[in-house]
Amino acid sequence: IIFFAFVMQEAMTDIGIADYIITLVQPHVNAVIFPLVTFLVVAILNFSTGSVWGIPAIVAPILLPLAESIGTNLLVMGAIVSGATLGSHACFYSDATVLTSSCCKIENMDHALSQIPYALCASGISALGYLVCGALL
């Protein structure tokens, strides 16, 4: 999966997808809320796919230059990584959930459902933190 994520990343670089996305999205984004939006989008993508490594490898080459072009600091990289972690731990079929439930000898869905309240609490605190840090920095 990691190999194909890097192949996809290289292909996107070759066709210039980052420049295209920057040109398309830059007029519509705000530097204050961009870290928050990045965190939420990456978390949703990771929750949907269960791929903790694939999504960051694909979105980082697009979102980091976009963040730089609108004047946001590298807090966006933290938002990518933490969004990926949140999505992976909240997803019931991700490798982290499956591995943990099998090691603890509990049902996968029981473990996944036990993690949702913690994931929602952490995501709320993180979202607020990214909004505050985006406004301050």
Side-chain angles (χ1 to χ4, degrees):
I1 293 173
I2 294 171
F3 172 76
F4 286 115
F6 285 113
V7 169
M8 182 71 124
Q9 177 187 6
E10 188 65 32
M12 290 189 327
T13 301
D14 289 346
I15 64 171
I17 194 79
D19 294 332
Y20 174 73
I21 296 292
I22 289 170
T23 305
L24 189 68
V25 175
Q26 188 179 23
H28 306 289
V29 293
N30 182 333
V32 172
I33 64 166
F34 190 67
L36 170 65
V37 171
T38 299
F39 170 70
L40 295 175
V41 167
V42 171
I44 290 168
L45 287 172
N46 260 1
F47 181 81
S48 301
T49 63
S51 173
V52 73
W53 296 107
I55 298 300
I58 292 171
V59 301
I62 298 170
L63 295 179
L64 291 176
L66 178 59
E68 185 180 344
S69 74
I70 63 170
T72 303
N73 62 11
L74 291 181
L75 176 68
V76 172
M77 188 63 203
I80 292 170
V81 173
S82 61
T85 304
L86 169 66
S88 173
H89 285 283
C91 179
F92 62 91
Y93 53 86
S94 74
D95 55 353
T97 303
V98 171
L99 181 64
T100 304
S101 64
S102 67
C103 288
C104 296
K105 296 183 182 8
I106 60 175
E107 290 296 319
N108 187 39
M109 283 303 293
D110 291 339
H111 174 65
L113 292 175
S114 73
Q115 296 303 303
I116 293 293
Y118 300 110
L120 291 175
C121 181
S123 65
I125 293 168
S126 297
L128 182 62
Y130 282 117
L131 189 59
V132 168
C133 288
L136 295 177
L137 302 174

